[in-house]
Amino acid sequence: MEPKERSSDKASQEMIACMAQAGQQNAWDRFDSQLPQCGFGKQGICCRICAMGPCRISKKSPLGVCGATADTIAARNLLRMIAAGAASHSDHGREVAHTFKMAAESENSDYMIKDELKLREVAARYGIKVEGRQTKEIACELADVALSEFGKQEGTLISTQVYPPPARQKVWQQLGVTPRSIDRDIVEIMHRTHMGVGSDYKNLMKQGIRASLSDGWGGSLIATELSDILFGAPWPIRFGTNLGVLDAKQVNIVVHGHEPTLSDIIVAVSQEPELVQMAKDKGAEGINLAGICCTANEILMRHGIPVAGNFLQQELAIMTGAVDVMLVDVQCIMPSLGSLSKCFHTKLITTSPKCKIDGAEHIEFHEDKALEIARQIISVAIDNYGNRKGKTSVPKTTERGIAGFTTENIFYNLGGRFRASYRPLNDNVINGRIRGAAGVVGCNNPKQVHDYGHLTLIKELIKNNVLVVSTGCSAIAAAKAGLMRPDAAAKYCGKGLQEVCETVGIPPVLHVGSCVDNSRILTILSNVVAEGGLGEDISQLPVAGAAPEWMSEKAVSIGMYFVASGVYTVISEPLPILGAPNLTRYLTEEIEQELGGKWAFECDPIKTAEMMLEHIENKRDALGINKKGERKLYDMADRRAISVE
Ligand code: NFS
Ligand code: SF4
């Protein structure tokens, strides 16, 4: 297969060719050798929950040994995906909360509270008294309250009573899915899906919905809010991206994974004069830090650290031969990196007790010795610089963009610094310059040409005057293609959106962070509702979500909490439920009556865009903000032709 049939990104194509030439395997090759993939797994109708099985559902045997139907089996499997996804995000949130507590309590921690304003705002939301109190006192109390959200045994999550619009809270109460506590909701999934507990797929799904909401409005939200307070809330910032940000003349350290606790400290010390001098003594010009996946997004948003690539570029980065250390923590790290790094001088370093990888060196990270360990890791990279084997092959391709948008600073960017308000955003949606907004998020997946799904979908949306917010690997794809440059507005947008972007000076695709920062999209939606004029609930807004190249269980949890928050959500690869007809009908149709959002599956990004645009126009109609006669039979040509005075 030609490299361009695997990735639409030039730098990646170059490295894929390079790997083929060197006889090195990558995810695309391994995907090919997995084909054909198991049809039962794909449809979600294989069960190995107990030892009477494994059972798989077919015409010949429509029930498992215990009598479970396809709907029961697929629902249980899906719930366990949600549990894993929610657990990953929430455990990340828990780590941040622990570090936050340590920073708040200790006198000589390597961390300190960087954003006092946000601390006070968040603490007040959590019902903590802030007036007349010291930062430290407030922070200690917030740390305790946040940590208790994970394990409390009674009541419901505080955040779900204060962040979402009241109308949304009521929807959850009526359905009985208000999240209670983060760990409890995940544990209950494991209980309910044990052999011989529930078999009613709808009742099973309720717990999936509740646990996903516990993730989005709970664990992920805590991760975002506390990270902002601890590491500083992001502010619009320029950055460079793609494999070309690696610099053959410098010591290259690539951080990969998810949590910001170690990477933020690495950023803080990597330019210390003694370390830079050490690097120079070894013949390097300096120390160059770059990121992959969501760790990259965390330090990009707050420090403008360059992003070397997204999920499917992790192997390609090592293949350049220029990475002296790849430093990983948790999640989305391919086990293949262990053996691949052995073919080069690259040291793969694992740092979390939760994640050890064959072929990696383990330097365990402890927050109470953060600076010391960060310096040690950088020294390992410097020492390793001299061990490079032969020529490096770093692609020249890079792109630039602006990241660092948040729920809070969008106020400033859209409303002007002295008139901070969501009003201009709502007004531009109401007057039709902006038709609506879309969240395009999620991973890469070798089933789709790398980045093609993200880019095709996003370009189609902004061409049709839909403002895009993006996170995770999707945001990295957009940045690499130049869609986060302010001049992208003139190049790719419809007239209305272009006008708004140019007036305000924002790109048409707003980078709002890592995957836990999808919680920012939730709170942005809450603010849009609160600003007024676009209905009482998120489900009334002209918005839609998509994950056009998803692969991770976290994406399932994210999709579920967006649907449960009232958002129409289109994903590429279908959820593994198609072998369960009733469950499929429930999640893609009937659920809309209960929650206002629903799932859709579509692999073609152009069709995905059409579906999202159709939905957005329907919502506009329902709100009565499409002027009479403005909407005839909307086809794509019509939408492209829409021009606003
Ligand atoms: Ni999200 Fe981020 Fe990327 Fe997918 Fe993995 S890095 S948490 S899961 S692959 S977007
Ligand atoms: Fe089979 Fe039922 Fe056991 Fe699943 S729980 S493996 S369907 S017997």
Side-chain angles (χ1 to χ4, degrees):
M1 206 185 252
E2 288 292 309
K4 65 174 182 304
E5 294 171 68
R6 295 187 154 183
S7 175
S8 54
D9 170 59
K10 243 181 91 212
S12 300
Q13 291 166 3
E14 199 178 321
M15 294 318 297
I16 290 168
C18 203
M19 287 190 94
Q21 227 168 31
Q24 290 287 357
Q25 279 216 328
N26 55 34
W28 290 275
D29 300 314
R30 293 187 299 270
F31 174 71
D32 287 345
S33 43
Q34 281 293 332
L35 293 175
Q37 289 178 317
C38 169
F40 292 95
K42 225 176 156 67
Q43 296 185 76
I45 46 175
C46 161
C47 182
R48 41 180 189 74
I49 273 173
C50 90
M52 293 188 283
C55 302
R56 42 187 218 182
I57 300 302
S58 63
K59 268 214 179 81
K60 177 183 127 275
S61 46
L63 298 174
V65 176
C66 65
T69 62
D71 289 310
T72 302
I73 291 173
R76 288 194 304 217
N77 290 340
L78 187 68
L79 251 61
R80 287 186 171 206
M81 291 182 89
I82 294 174
S88 307
H89 283 147
S90 299
D91 223 27
H92 167 166
R94 186 197 326 270
E95 287 296 326
V96 174
H98 277 300
T99 310
F100 181 81
K101 186 173 162 71
M102 189 191 78
E105 282 175 351
S106 134
E107 289 302 332
N108 48 6
S109 157
D110 292 343
Y111 299 88
M112 55 185 219
I113 306 289
K114 291 226 180 85
D115 197 325
E116 295 192 18
L117 188 69
K118 184 147 185 179
L119 167 70
R120 285 171 187 271
E121 278 169 14
V122 173
R125 281 203 188 233
Y126 273 85
I128 294 164
K129 185 176 169 295
V130 292
E131 295 85 37
R133 293 181 81 192
Q134 298 287 322
T135 301
K136 198 177 167 62
E137 250 181 295
I138 301 171
C140 285
E141 195 175 335
L142 179 59
D144 288 336
V145 172
L147 280 166
S148 73
E149 291 281 88
F150 288 87
K152 69 185 180 192
Q153 298 301 315
E154 271 155 25
T156 53
L157 284 185
I158 299 170
S159 50
T160 58
Q161 300 153 32
V162 288
Y163 282 88
R168 185 55 16 192
Q169 297 174 34
K170 212 188 243 155
V171 170
W172 297 336
Q173 277 154 18
Q174 271 160 3
L175 195 64
V177 295
T178 306
R180 295 163 303 184
S181 87
I182 296 158
D183 294 351
R184 178 180 178 189
D185 284 333
I186 293 166
V187 167
E188 194 170 310
I189 282 189
M190 299 315 284
H191 178 194
R192 286 202 198 196
T193 57
H194 183 272
M195 189 272 147
V197 185
S199 66
D200 174 336
Y201 67 90
K202 273 197 194 169
N203 196 53
L204 278 162
M205 277 317 303
K206 275 195 182 174
Q207 187 54 26
I209 291 164
R210 176 150 57 192
S212 74
L213 289 170
S214 240
D215 169 2
W217 297 90
S220 285
L221 184 139
I222 288 175
T224 299
E225 300 292 63
L226 296 192
S227 294
D228 281 358
I229 299 170
L230 190 57
F231 307 119
W235 198 251
I237 192 163
R238 280 171 210 271
F239 70 105
T241 180
N242 217 337
L243 293 168
V245 303
L246 299 174
D247 180 356
K249 298 201 195 84
Q250 298 194 58
V251 174
N252 289 304
I253 302 172
V254 174
V255 292
H256 171 24
H258 282 76
E259 293 174 355
T261 32
L262 169 59
S263 51
D264 209 88
I265 287 281
I266 293 269
V267 175
V269 299
S270 69
Q271 299 309 316
E272 281 182 353
E274 307 83 70
L275 290 170
V276 174
Q277 191 52 52
M278 258 175 77
K280 288 190 173 154
D281 293 345
K282 294 273 178 184
E285 283 182 4
I287 300 169
N288 182 37
L289 201 57
I292 285 191
C293 282
C294 282
T295 285
N297 287 324
E298 296 281 352
I299 53 176
L300 157 66
M301 291 282 283
R302 299 192 176 87
H303 307 288
I305 300 297
V307 178
N310 51 8
F311 177 70
L312 275 176
Q313 289 178 288
Q314 52 187 291
E315 293 176 298
L316 309 182
I318 290 188
M319 192 64 204
T320 62
V323 177
D324 301 300
V325 156
M326 185 177 276
L327 187 66
V328 302
D329 50 36
V330 287
Q331 300 169 25
C332 304
I333 303 149
M334 288 191 194
S336 65
L337 298 188
S339 53
L340 181 61
S341 63
K342 289 269 171 277
C343 303
F344 298 86
H345 80 299
T346 305
K347 283 202 171 155
L348 179 69
I349 300 182
T350 51
T351 55
S352 163
K354 292 172 197 154
C355 168
K356 291 192 180 179
I357 295 174
D358 250 1
E361 194 173 309
H362 190 73
I363 302 182
E364 201 153 296
F365 180 64
H366 297 279
E367 281 80 357
D368 54 351
K369 290 195 221 113
L371 283 172
E372 184 189 321
I373 296 167
R375 289 189 188 113
Q376 181 194 347
I377 291 168
I378 293 171
S379 313
V380 171
I382 295 169
D383 283 340
N384 201 27
Y385 175 81
N387 298 331
R388 287 191 189 171
K389 297 176 185 162
K391 248 181 89 219
T392 56
S393 40
V394 179
K396 294 233 173 349
T397 316
T398 56
E399 186 46 271
R400 295 194 63 77
I402 296 179
F405 296 96
T406 65
T407 308
E408 295 80 9
N409 71 32
I410 283 176
F411 270 102
Y412 289 105
N413 289 299
L414 290 167
R417 196 170 287 252
F418 303 105
R419 203 161 51 91
S421 153
Y422 269 61
R423 197 67 252 156
L425 173 61
N426 285 31
D427 284 346
N428 278 306
V429 172
I430 293 167
N431 70 25
R433 273 195 192 86
I434 300 178
R435 307 306 295 171
V440 183
V441 308
C443 329
N444 298 137
N445 185 329
K447 290 180 181 175
Q448 172 68 279
V449 179
H450 171 228
D451 289 351
Y452 171 81
H454 294 297
L455 301 179
T456 313
L457 172 60
I458 292 175
K459 284 181 188 165
E460 207 56 33
L461 290 168
I462 58 179
K463 186 160 77 186
N464 286 282
N465 297 304
V466 171
L467 179 69
V468 171
V469 292
S470 187
T471 60
C473 291
S474 180
I476 300 174
K480 286 186 295 171
L483 296 171
M484 288 179 175
R485 302 168 62 106
D487 56 13
K491 208 160 157 197
Y492 298 106
C493 291
K495 198 165 162 249
L497 179 62
Q498 181 191 340
E499 221 173 277
V500 175
C501 288
E502 286 176 347
T503 312
V504 186
I506 52 169
V509 184
L510 301 176
H511 194 326
V512 296
S514 65
C515 284
V516 293
D517 293 333
N518 281 317
S519 66
R520 295 196 206 275
I521 302 182
L522 295 176
T523 50
I524 289 169
L525 295 175
S526 294
N527 283 0
V528 171
V529 170
E531 185 61 45
L534 289 169
E536 298 299 311
D537 192 2
I538 294 171
S539 59
Q540 290 176 267
L541 298 175
V543 301
E549 301 180 28
W550 78 280
M551 63 85 198
S552 134
E553 289 166 313
K554 290 177 283 177
V556 181
S557 181
I558 294 168
M560 192 71 250
Y561 71 64
F562 272 105
V563 168
S565 299
V567 179
Y568 175 57
T569 302
V570 192
I571 61 172
S572 47
E573 175 74 7
L575 291 174
I577 56 168
L578 295 187
N582 296 312
L583 177 66
T584 302
R585 195 176 335 107
Y586 175 61
L587 290 175
T588 57
E589 293 172 35
E590 295 157 7
I591 197 171
E592 197 176 19
Q593 260 93 58
E594 292 174 355
L595 287 164
K598 64 177 178 182
W599 291 90
F601 313 135
E602 177 53 61
C603 290
D604 175 350
I606 297 273
K607 284 205 191 111
T608 303
E610 283 175 23
M611 289 154 70
M612 294 167 78
L613 291 165
E614 186 67 41
H615 174 83
I616 286 171
E617 291 302 330
N618 284 338
K619 291 291 171 186
R620 296 182 59 87
D621 278 346
L623 284 166
I625 55 172
N626 273 343
K627 287 179 218 126
K628 221 168 175 252
E630 186 179 323
R631 179 150 193 249
K632 26 178 192 136
L633 264 184
Y634 261 100
D635 60 15
M636 291 302 283
D638 284 335
R639 285 201 197 90
R640 279 186 203 117
I642 289 174
S643 90
V644 186
E645 61 271 33

